[in-house]
Amino acid sequence: MKRSFLFFVFLLLCSNVAMAEQGLTLVTSAPTESGGQEYSVTLRILFLMTALTFIPAAVMMMTSFTRIVIVLSILRTALGTQQVPSSQIILGLSLFLSLFIMMPVLEKSYTDAVQPYMDDKISAEVAFEKVKAPISTFMMEQTRESDLALFSGFANKEGFETPEDIPLSILVPAFVTSELKTAFQIGFLIFVPFVVIDLVVASVLMSMGMMMLSPMLISMPFKLMLFVLVDGWSLIMGTLVASFAV
């Protein structure tokens, strides 16, 4: 293990020497007109690769993904089908439904920040702020004031005038807390009709003296039939999409 590490360090040093001999600079920076720093392309790539590692966390914590995946998981439990649909299907459906809901935000971020930055019209700092603005606005629209005040009080920072003024360190946990509350509220409303079916089936079986027969075995077909007859998937998807409309 030690030899492998030393060999890796040796290769890294050799590559740096070779780049220096060819006149290539690994890290360069130059002052901009606004007083900031403009970094070389090599360092930009390094920053980009580092930022990519945070994409899964950003998708889960800063989009509609959390609410959707929790509601679909509760739905599967309410139906009593522990393996259908599978976890992969739920995650995939949650991801693409989140992409559908977040598309206006992504398009605005691309138009206002990514495209101008790729055309070298704005700096990286300005692009980051322009990307943050629509995402912060989306999260603010879905965040309860009580949750925002809670984390603002913990951080001793209050009196924000615009969503852009709220740091992500406060907005993200407040947004996630609100999403968890909303997801469990929707899940409760979905669970109630199926619990009623379970109670009715259990009462009928007990009155018939068939206590050894599992009520779940009998109630599952009725729950599936009810869910299909009311076009449950369309109702669930429509409810989830409509819950993000402001």
Side-chain angles (χ1 to χ4, degrees):
M1 184 66 181
K2 184 177 181 180
R3 291 182 179 179
S4 301
F5 176 75
L6 293 176
F7 181 70
F8 174 76
V9 173
F10 175 75
L11 290 179
L12 183 61
L13 293 175
C14 290
S15 62
N16 290 337
V17 172
M19 293 177 64
E21 291 178 352
Q22 297 175 6
L24 299 177
T25 305
L26 181 61
V27 177
T28 60
S29 63
T32 60
E33 296 179 356
S34 60
Q37 292 289 328
E38 186 70 19
Y39 298 102
S40 64
V41 177
T42 305
L43 193 56
R44 288 181 184 176
I45 295 176
L46 177 62
F47 287 157
L48 178 61
M49 297 303 295
T50 303
L52 289 177
T53 60
F54 294 96
I55 288 181
V59 169
M60 290 187 293
M61 300 290 103
M62 301 174 66
T63 67
S64 56
F65 181 85
T66 300
R67 183 188 303 184
I68 296 172
V69 73
I70 290 177
V71 170
L72 293 181
S73 299
I74 292 177
L75 172 63
R76 182 175 65 179
T77 303
L79 288 172
T81 55
Q82 300 300 326
Q83 302 297 328
V84 179
S86 64
S87 299
Q88 292 82 357
I89 295 177
I90 289 179
L91 291 175
L93 182 58
S94 302
L95 181 61
F96 282 97
L97 192 58
S98 299
L99 182 63
F100 173 79
I101 294 172
M102 298 295 297
M103 188 56 66
V105 178
L106 298 178
E107 289 178 349
K108 183 174 179 58
S109 298
Y110 181 82
T111 303
D112 296 345
V114 178
Q115 189 63 48
Y117 177 71
M118 294 176 63
D119 295 337
D120 292 330
K121 295 181 180 179
I122 59 176
S123 63
E125 292 81 3
V126 175
F128 175 77
E129 292 297 327
K130 288 184 176 294
V131 168
K132 174 187 171 185
I135 298 177
S136 298
T137 302
F138 169 80
M139 290 192 292
M140 274 293 300
E141 292 172 349
Q142 307 300 327
T143 303
R144 292 176 173 83
E145 294 183 1
S146 59
D147 296 327
L148 190 60
L150 175 65
F151 288 95
S152 297
F154 287 155
N156 294 323
K157 296 180 180 179
E158 297 180 356
F160 302 108
E161 297 181 357
T162 62
E164 291 78 7
D165 297 334
I166 304 176
L168 293 179
S169 59
I170 295 177
L171 183 55
V172 172
F175 169 72
V176 174
T177 303
S178 294
E179 286 295 283
L180 291 174
K181 291 180 180 179
T182 304
F184 277 94
Q185 288 175 354
I186 297 175
F188 170 78
L189 297 177
I190 293 174
F191 219 112
V192 170
F194 299 108
V195 171
V196 172
I197 294 177
D198 287 333
L199 290 175
V200 171
V201 171
S203 299
V204 172
L205 291 178
M206 290 186 65
S207 63
M208 295 176 62
M210 304 175 64
M211 293 178 292
M212 299 301 294
L213 184 62
S214 174
M216 293 294 297
L217 183 63
I218 305 300
S219 63
M220 184 183 299
F222 291 98
K223 290 189 288 186
L224 293 177
M225 181 182 63
L226 173 65
F227 191 71
V228 171
L229 289 177
V230 300
D231 198 8
W233 286 114
S234 297
L235 290 176
I236 294 296
M237 299 306 165
T239 300
L240 288 172
V241 173
S243 66
F244 288 96
V246 294

